[in-house]
Amino acid sequence: MKKQTFSILLVEDNFDHAELVKRTLENFQVENDLFHVDNGEAALDFLYRRGIYKNHIVAPKPNLILLDLRLPKIDGLEVLREIKKEEKFLDIPVVILTSSDAEQDLIKAYCYHANSYLTKPVDFLKFSNMMKDFGNYWLSWNKSPDWNHSGKKFF
Amino acid sequence: MCSITQELASLQKVYKKILWIDLMVFSLTFIVLVVEILKAVEILEGSPKTLWGAIIFIVIILLLFIAFFLIYKSKKNRDVFQTERIRCFTQFALSRLSKMALWTNQEGQFVYVNHSACDILGYSQEELLSRKIFDIEDIFPVSSWEEHWQKLKSSGNLIVESSYRTKQGKIFPVEIHETYIEFEGQEYNCTFVEDITKRRESEEILRKNERFLSDIFNSIQDGISILGLDLTVLRVNSIMEKWYSSNLPLVGRKCHTCYHASDRICDPCPSVRCLSSGKPESEIVRGIPGATAVEWIELYSYPMKNPKTGEITGVLEFVRDITHRKKAEMALEASENTFRTLFNNMSEGVALHEVIMDAEGKPIDYRFIDVNPAYQRHTGIFSSNVIGRLGTEVYGTEKAAYLDVFSKVAMTGIPYVFDTYFPPLKRHFHVSVVCHGENRFATVFEDITERKQKERELQEKNAELERFTYTVSHDLRSPLITIKGFLGIMEQDLLSGKRDQVLLDMKRISDAADKMENLLRDLLELSRIGRIVSKPVKISSEKLFQDAIELLSGLIKTKEIHIQLHPGLPFVYGDSMRLLQVIQNLLENAIKYMGQEKKPFIEIGIIEEYSEKIFWIKDNGIGIDPKYHENIFGLFNKLDARTEGTGIGLALARRIIEVHGGRIWLESEGLGKGSTFFFTLPCSES
């Protein structure tokens, strides 16, 4: 398998959690770029390349979005809906990563076409294993369109 | 008969002779008188011849004497004739009498029988006179004759009924008038006997009629009482006697005495009215309580009139026992009273309607028949504006409200219950619909607007609680994840000898623990606010603002913020500690999010809108995007993840203001435009 740079947009208001995700993914030794934004509005700005994210080097189109639900300014579910409404983002899988295991959030997330739903385990070993499996699945097994290198655009 | 005629004829002759004598005497007397008068005239002339005169005088006297003797004798003859004539006439009448005359002696032997007796009994006079009374008397026993005779003798007259047998053997009833007579030393029974066959027959007919009428009278199972003009009971039927068995006899007493145990005429009495009006009258009156099972009677009084003259002769009282009916009526009335009381006093509104249908029998509307007082209380519509009117008129709707539901109940009789919001009255109702007659329905309803309101409030509270739980579980879990996560990482790092990040990670853990503590503290704070129990006190809002500014004076000085307090800040009622907390929080926010403004300022004032006093706190800080104006009041909601605090401040402020009965909101044109927070508080004790 040819190694690719796999870019992830992490939308997470808790910096510590963002750090945890970053470190566990680093441990997994998969070459990837992790872009972190700490609120919903910033996430949309990043995707639409607005404001400080005008430059596509600063804000490349991510291969995957890791989205927390409880976010300042614009709520995670709202961000999800925005993304899935936009045709040009439909090829980006959105994985929900949240500390909420509320049923309503889970249902709503899938209704808004989330591609996967993960809750953050309090236990670190589990957290670590989950992130490892996550990396295995999305970064190794799962096939995603590669627009950063082929230059081909699906849309 | 022949003999009597002959007798009379001979009597007639004698009588004629006597008449002749009378005439002669009268003529002679007249002549003598004339001569005497002439004589007297001569004497007066004065030439009397004395001797002749004396002789003539004596002769005249003699003649006069003879004449008077003759007159006297003829007079006596005339009396004898008169007596004989009467006897003859009596005898004549007696023998021709239609009644039988049968005279017997002491032995019962007939001594005289008249023609009628012979004719009726079929015997000749001779045959009868040779027989005795026992031969024709049918039932009279010979043995009792002597006793009967003595009875007759002592009383003189007797009237008895018996029966006679004719010669042919026919037996017929008779009435016998007996008279005892003693004559010439002999004892006689002079009887006059009448054939009473006809009388007996008519009596029988009368008796039959009477019995027939009496049977009818007594067969009627209503009471009948006939009263005279003076209200005396003349006749009653057996039902009356049965009803008033303890008051017998009824006949002969006044009606009010025997029927009502009263010595006065009852008022009202239809019979009294009937006697004066001559028309039928009626009335429901009480029977005799206790004396009879008949407690209530309906009395019809019919006038009895003489068919020829039309004169009122009495009253026929027709008495019907209506105790059962009356009791049923009273029970019905009592029941009606019970339900009417219920109807009038129940808290639920009740309206009775009838369905109005078009020519094809399709329901098109309904009409109000009746409504109870609660109807008016619930709807605010006066019953006088409802009863008799149509549903469309009363509620001012184009189509009668709930017509489909109501008419279905009225047609099928199946009750229906539903809750509804009724737009014409802008209220919620719980309605029970029942059918209470053909094409009729009743609605029993209660106003559940308040209940609905409470339900909605409860729903809101529940939703809030749910949000709260959700938030808390999420936000309390976050620091735990951090703590356990970095502990795990530290463990790995230490095992692999990587120590460069340990201190930093330890700080993260410590911060997360602090955050958790803050969260718990804030949650506790929030839960306390819902339980404000201290009585509201009068507080100067100006003082509150000054205190808050004082508490924040360090920050204000550092950031060189100009604070202006506009005059006119009113007194408010509430918990001063809590209100100070709100004001401090709002000012703190204004200071915190002042940004890089060169001339930062905060203004505080009051405006009055619709007689409501509104506090405002205006700053020229970084401002807030309008799309987050509602969001920022949410629990643990922060616009910037990097800022300090848990994000409870505004949620707390809103909670405190709302607990005081006020509102809080903000206005800001957007980023860089500053923001203004508004809130209201009660300015009077109520």
Side-chain angles (χ1 to χ4, degrees):
Chain A
M1 190 189 261
K2 185 191 163 193
K3 283 232 168 176
Q4 297 173 351
T5 308
F6 194 86
S7 63
I8 298 171
L9 174 64
L10 173 65
V11 190
E12 171 62 77
D13 66 327
N14 188 314
F15 288 87
D16 296 332
H17 290 190
E19 186 66 22
L20 275 174
V21 171
K22 203 187 266 176
R23 296 243 195 126
T24 45
L25 282 178
E26 271 169 10
N27 275 355
F28 187 57
Q29 312 265 318
V30 174
E31 198 181 331
N32 61 70
D33 292 331
L34 191 74
F35 297 90
H36 174 221
V37 290
D38 65 356
N39 66 68
E41 196 178 51
L44 291 175
D45 285 351
F46 183 96
L47 289 168
Y48 283 109
R49 289 182 188 141
R50 294 186 299 219
I52 57 165
Y53 303 105
K54 266 181 186 158
N55 192 331
H56 97 281
I57 309 283
V58 178
K61 183 173 179 176
N63 293 94
L64 187 131
I65 299 170
L66 259 177
L67 182 63
D68 191 6
L69 288 185
R70 251 182 84 78
L71 294 170
K73 295 189 179 177
I74 298 176
D75 189 60
L77 285 170
E78 200 52 46
V79 172
L80 173 64
R81 203 155 69 155
E82 278 286 315
I83 293 168
K84 294 298 183 183
K85 263 201 296 200
E86 188 63 64
E87 273 195 6
K88 62 183 174 192
F89 302 142
L90 280 178
D91 55 352
I92 309 172
V94 180
V95 176
I96 305 296
L97 179 65
T98 177
S99 50
S100 162
D101 54 3
E103 179 97 357
Q104 77 230 36
D105 281 343
L106 183 74
I107 293 166
K108 263 189 188 163
Y110 279 111
C111 287
Y112 293 155
H113 310 293
N115 298 81
S116 183
Y117 193 101
L118 304 172
T119 48
K120 302 169 189 168
V122 173
D123 186 81
F124 176 69
L125 199 63
K126 283 183 186 163
F127 190 97
S128 175
N129 283 338
M130 186 184 79
M131 289 318 290
K132 198 166 127 187
D133 291 343
F134 163 82
N136 253 333
Y137 181 81
W138 289 104
L139 276 64
S140 302
W141 295 111
N142 189 53
K143 287 273 177 203
S144 331
D146 176 19
W147 45 80
N148 287 332
H149 297 275
S150 67
K152 264 199 210 162
K153 300 243 168 164
F154 196 74
F155 292 102
Chain B
M1 192 205 264
C2 243
S3 64
I4 287 169
T5 316
Q6 282 162 359
E7 216 171 340
L8 269 180
S10 67
L11 271 171
Q12 211 99 33
K13 274 177 199 163
V14 174
Y15 185 64
K16 271 177 190 165
K17 214 192 293 177
I18 291 166
L19 272 179
W20 274 111
I21 292 166
D22 281 356
L23 193 64
M24 277 164 64
V25 170
F26 183 75
S27 309
L28 195 67
T29 311
F30 184 72
I31 293 162
V32 170
L33 271 172
V34 169
V35 172
E36 277 305 299
I37 288 161
L38 286 172
K39 262 236 199 98
V41 170
E42 235 174 286
I43 290 163
L44 283 169
E45 280 170 1
S47 57
K49 288 159 182 158
T50 312
L51 184 64
W52 282 101
I55 292 163
I56 291 162
F57 189 75
I58 288 161
V59 169
I60 290 165
I61 295 296
L62 207 68
L63 281 170
L64 274 173
F65 183 77
I66 293 161
F68 277 115
F69 177 75
L70 288 171
I71 288 167
Y72 171 73
K73 202 177 168 217
S74 73
K75 175 81 170 83
K76 199 177 171 188
N77 280 341
R78 208 161 52 228
D79 285 350
V80 170
F81 168 72
Q82 196 62 21
T83 307
E84 187 62 20
R85 212 171 126 244
I86 289 165
R87 189 194 63 80
C88 196
F89 179 70
T90 310
Q91 180 75 37
F92 188 71
L94 190 61
S95 57
R96 276 160 189 74
L97 191 66
S98 66
K99 279 186 183 178
M100 292 178 277
L102 293 155
W103 297 352
T104 61
N105 61 16
Q106 204 172 350
E107 283 77 43
Q109 177 75 47
F110 288 117
V111 295
Y112 171 78
V113 294
N114 69 354
H115 291 285
S116 294
C118 301
D119 291 350
I120 292 167
L121 292 169
Y123 295 100
S124 71
Q125 202 164 17
E126 288 72 30
E127 280 173 329
L128 264 185
L129 287 172
S130 65
R131 281 175 165 76
K132 287 190 174 180
I133 181 73
F134 319 114
D135 298 326
I136 59 160
E137 178 100 36
D138 185 47
I139 51 169
F140 202 79
V142 185
S143 58
S144 66
W145 176 252
E146 183 55 35
E147 188 192 334
H148 179 72
W149 192 267
Q150 289 307 321
K151 194 176 163 193
L152 175 66
K153 197 173 168 180
S154 63
S155 60
N157 285 295
L158 279 178
I159 299 171
V160 293
E161 284 192 5
S162 183
S163 52
Y164 279 4
R165 187 170 52 242
T166 64
K167 193 181 176 185
Q168 288 75 32
K170 187 189 161 201
I171 294 165
F172 60 96
V174 289
E175 186 182 76
I176 307 166
H177 292 248
E178 294 175 300
T179 308
Y180 173 79
I181 292 171
E182 267 182 34
F183 187 63
E184 292 170 342
Q186 290 286 315
E187 293 178 355
Y188 297 99
N189 180 6
C190 302
T191 63
F192 290 95
V193 182
E194 194 179 358
D195 176 357
I196 55 167
T197 309
K198 287 234 167 65
R199 197 210 288 176
R200 277 279 168 87
E201 276 170 9
S202 48
E203 271 176 7
E204 185 60 27
I205 291 169
L206 272 178
R207 219 174 4 256
K208 272 186 183 165
N209 278 344
E210 163 62 22
R211 200 160 44 238
F212 180 64
L213 288 175
S214 170
D215 284 350
I216 293 176
F217 202 57
N218 288 328
S219 302
I220 295 173
Q221 292 304 304
D222 290 302
I224 295 175
S225 161
I226 290 158
L227 307 182
L229 292 173
D230 62 350
L231 302 177
T232 302
V233 179
L234 300 179
R235 193 162 174 176
V236 293
N237 70 350
S238 52
I239 286 288
M240 282 305 265
E241 286 181 331
K242 188 178 133 200
W243 285 346
Y244 294 95
S245 56
S246 59
N247 275 16
L248 294 177
L250 301 174
V251 172
R253 290 160 73 199
K254 301 280 184 193
C255 58
H256 46 83
T257 313
C258 57
Y259 297 149
H260 298 286
S262 158
D263 54 2
R264 278 180 303 176
I265 293 170
C266 313
D267 182 38
C269 174
S271 295
V272 173
R273 288 206 307 270
C274 173
L275 281 174
S276 62
S277 70
K279 288 176 187 151
E281 302 278 351
S282 70
E283 194 87 50
I284 291 171
V285 294
R286 293 217 66 142
I288 302 178
T292 165
V294 183
E295 286 177 34
W296 289 95
I297 53 177
E298 188 162 28
L299 178 58
Y300 296 91
S301 296
Y302 300 115
M304 289 169 50
K305 292 178 183 175
N306 182 323
K308 281 178 190 155
T309 60
E311 192 189 358
I312 298 168
T313 56
V315 185
L316 187 147
E317 288 187 330
F318 181 87
V319 189
R320 175 155 281 181
D321 176 7
I322 55 159
T323 310
H324 281 298
R325 195 179 89 195
K326 189 77 184 173
K327 278 186 175 169
E329 273 173 15
M330 290 196 301
L332 196 69
E333 200 178 320
S335 159
E336 158 68 19
N337 274 341
T338 307
F339 285 105
R340 178 59 62 177
T341 309
L342 206 64
F343 184 70
N344 285 340
N345 294 294
M346 62 198 286
S347 62
E348 288 86 357
V350 181
L352 310 179
H353 317 74
E354 64 174 337
V355 177
I356 308 286
M357 286 176 282
D358 63 8
E360 289 152 18
K362 191 169 153 266
I364 47 168
D365 208 334
Y366 47 80
R367 192 185 302 283
F368 286 81
I369 302 168
D370 201 1
V371 294
N372 71 346
Y375 175 90
Q376 189 178 318
R377 283 202 300 277
H378 286 310
T379 63
I381 306 173
F382 284 100
S383 58
S384 55
N385 292 336
V386 174
I387 296 168
R389 297 180 69 193
L390 297 172
T392 47
E393 292 174 332
V394 172
Y395 299 123
T397 49
E398 199 178 316
K399 188 179 175 251
Y402 313 111
L403 180 62
D404 296 344
V405 175
F406 291 167
S407 56
K408 194 177 169 194
V409 172
M411 305 289 180
T412 61
I414 301 165
Y416 189 71
V417 181
F418 63 101
D419 283 358
T420 183
Y421 176 71
F422 191 43
L425 297 173
K426 297 190 174 69
R427 306 200 70 83
H428 291 272
F429 291 105
H430 175 74
V431 188
S432 298
V433 196
V434 290
C435 175
H436 70 102
E438 197 183 345
N439 289 336
R440 290 178 173 222
F441 65 92
T443 51
V444 182
F445 61 92
E446 55 184 319
D447 187 340
I448 52 163
T449 311
E450 275 181 30
R451 198 172 84 196
K452 283 277 170 191
Q453 183 90 29
K454 287 270 185 313
E455 275 175 15
R456 201 164 48 241
E457 279 171 18
L458 195 66
Q459 272 167 9
E460 278 168 14
K461 280 255 153 46
N462 277 339
E464 194 191 315
L465 190 69
E466 209 169 295
R467 275 200 304 278
F468 179 80
T469 321
Y470 168 75
T471 308
V472 168
S473 69
H474 178 275
D475 290 6
L476 283 179
R477 186 180 284 197
S478 280
L480 281 179
I481 293 167
T482 306
I483 292 166
K484 294 217 67 169
F486 279 99
L487 278 172
I489 285 174
M490 276 167 69
E491 193 184 354
Q492 282 178 2
D493 285 355
L494 287 172
L495 285 173
S496 60
K498 280 165 72 182
R499 290 164 187 259
D500 47 339
Q501 287 203 347
V502 170
L503 281 176
L504 192 66
D505 290 349
M506 277 174 70
K507 181 158 186 339
R508 284 183 202 274
I509 292 167
S510 171
D511 287 350
D514 287 349
K515 191 177 179 192
M516 227 179 143
E517 194 202 347
N518 289 342
L519 278 170
L520 288 171
R521 186 197 59 216
D522 288 349
L523 277 176
L524 218 61
E525 181 77 5
L526 193 70
S527 79
R528 275 201 204 105
I529 291 156
R531 299 184 262 119
I532 288 184
V533 280
S534 56
K535 207 184 162 210
V537 290
K538 192 175 179 183
I539 315 154
S540 159
S541 61
E542 191 171 359
K543 176 85 170 34
L544 284 177
F545 279 105
Q546 280 166 352
D547 287 353
I549 291 164
E550 183 60 36
L551 284 168
L552 296 166
S553 57
L555 267 174
I556 294 166
K557 215 173 260 176
T558 316
K559 292 209 173 184
E560 292 176 337
I561 296 167
H562 175 70
I563 295 191
Q564 189 183 358
L565 216 57
H566 286 279
L569 292 170
F571 279 95
V572 293
Y573 288 84
D575 182 324
S576 63
M577 279 304 293
R578 297 288 179 206
L579 294 178
L580 179 63
Q581 209 176 345
V582 173
I583 292 166
Q584 191 182 339
N585 180 276
L586 292 175
L587 288 177
E588 211 174 335
N589 276 350
I591 296 164
K592 214 195 274 182
Y593 302 105
M594 193 48 87
Q596 301 308 308
E597 182 60 41
K598 278 174 192 141
K599 283 186 176 173
F601 75 84
I602 298 171
E603 271 184 89
I604 297 156
I606 187 116
I607 50 162
E608 198 167 328
E609 252 177 32
Y610 306 112
S611 70
E612 188 181 36
K613 282 178 175 160
I614 303 166
F615 293 89
W616 54 268
I617 300 170
K618 183 179 167 68
D619 64 59
N620 60 347
I622 58 171
I624 300 157
D625 195 319
K627 59 188 167 191
Y628 310 129
H629 285 185
E630 186 54 34
N631 214 353
I632 59 163
F633 288 103
L635 181 61
F636 302 134
N637 276 358
K638 290 162 72 179
L639 289 184
D640 188 345
R642 278 161 292 200
T643 55
E644 291 168 28
T646 57
I648 202 168
L650 284 176
L652 207 64
R654 169 171 274 190
R655 189 74 181 263
I656 293 168
I657 294 291
E658 284 179 354
V659 163
H660 279 81
R663 294 172 291 128
I664 182 165
W665 68 100
L666 78 98
E667 282 176 11
S668 172
E669 285 174 27
L671 289 173
K673 303 278 176 66
S675 45
T676 310
F677 280 80
F678 298 88
F679 65 91
T680 64
L681 280 174
C683 294
S684 65
E685 218 158 346
S686 61

